Structures are given as C-alpha cells and as structure tokens.
Amino acid sequence: MSTAIPDFTDREKKLVQQCLKERYGKEVPVEGAEAEVMLDQLTQALDTCPSLTWQERDVNFVVYKTGDNRFGCQFYYIETEQYGTGKDEYDNLGDCVITLLQVQA
C-alpha cells in the first residue's frame, strides 16, 4: 500500500474496550500491535496494518485497521487455525468487534 494506514484512535480503542467489558463483565487488557494482511488479492502482497489484540478464555482475538473506517478481524485458538466472521471488511468498528465476539461464542 502506498500510504500508511492510520493507527487506532483513542476513541476507537475505548470502543473496543467497552464492547469487551459488556461481553465479559470485566476489563480485558487490549494491546496494540501490527498485523500483516493481504489487502490486494491480485498481488498477494502483505500490508502492515495497525491492530488491537486480546486474549480471553483461551481464545486470541485480532481486530485490524485497513484504512479510514475500514476494519477486519479474526480469532484463533492456535496460530495455525484462524477463523473470521465471514465478512472481509467492516465500515463500523463496533459492528466488527461485536460480530467477532458473537461468531466466536
């Protein structure tokens, strides 16, 4: 990708933490990271995207930002078995996180 993808804003981070608090009934530590994501299926090149990660109940979760108001997500139990929601991209972070939590449950 020619332009850098903006990092998660404080507001976006708070939204994720609120969704997790509502789901689990407690604060869940969320860490910032980078994820390598194939944004262009034609070139199959990996782009570095800002991401937020957390672990809860032996499940690892990743929400990554692919652009302004564009998000993707995955969860996994072990790194070689990754699962998505069936939707490649969301334009609403809240919908992305809630759907991820629902699919995993």
Side-chain angles (χ1 to χ4, degrees):
M1 209 168 201
S2 59
T3 58
I5 298 168
D7 201 359
F8 283 87
T9 64
D10 288 341
R11 183 171 177 257
E12 290 168 335
K13 292 174 189 175
K14 286 178 185 176
L15 175 62
V16 171
Q17 290 175 323
Q18 182 61 36
C19 289
L20 298 179
K21 188 171 184 177
E22 288 176 17
R23 167 68 172 93
Y24 296 110
K26 65 177 186 174
E27 297 288 331
V28 176
V30 176
E31 296 183 27
E34 290 184 342
E36 288 187 327
V37 180
M38 188 182 315
L39 298 179
D40 184 348
Q41 300 293 327
L42 296 176
T43 65
Q44 296 186 350
L46 295 175
D47 292 290
T48 301
C49 299
S51 65
L52 297 174
T53 66
W54 65 92
Q55 183 180 31
E56 187 61 35
R57 300 180 184 169
D58 297 322
V59 183
N60 299 286
F61 297 88
V62 179
V63 173
Y64 50 89
K65 194 169 188 177
T66 59
D68 286 328
N69 295 314
R70 293 178 24 219
F71 308 93
C73 56
Q74 296 181 325
F75 68 93
Y76 60 94
Y77 301 92
I78 58 175
E79 288 186 28
T80 57
E81 294 181 14
Q82 299 176 0
Y83 304 94
T85 62
K87 186 172 180 179
D88 291 335
E89 193 170 79
Y90 293 82
D91 61 6
N92 180 291
L93 179 58
D95 290 346
C96 180
V97 173
I98 290 167
T99 303
L100 178 65
L101 295 171
Q102 288 174 337
V103 168
Q104 185 279 323

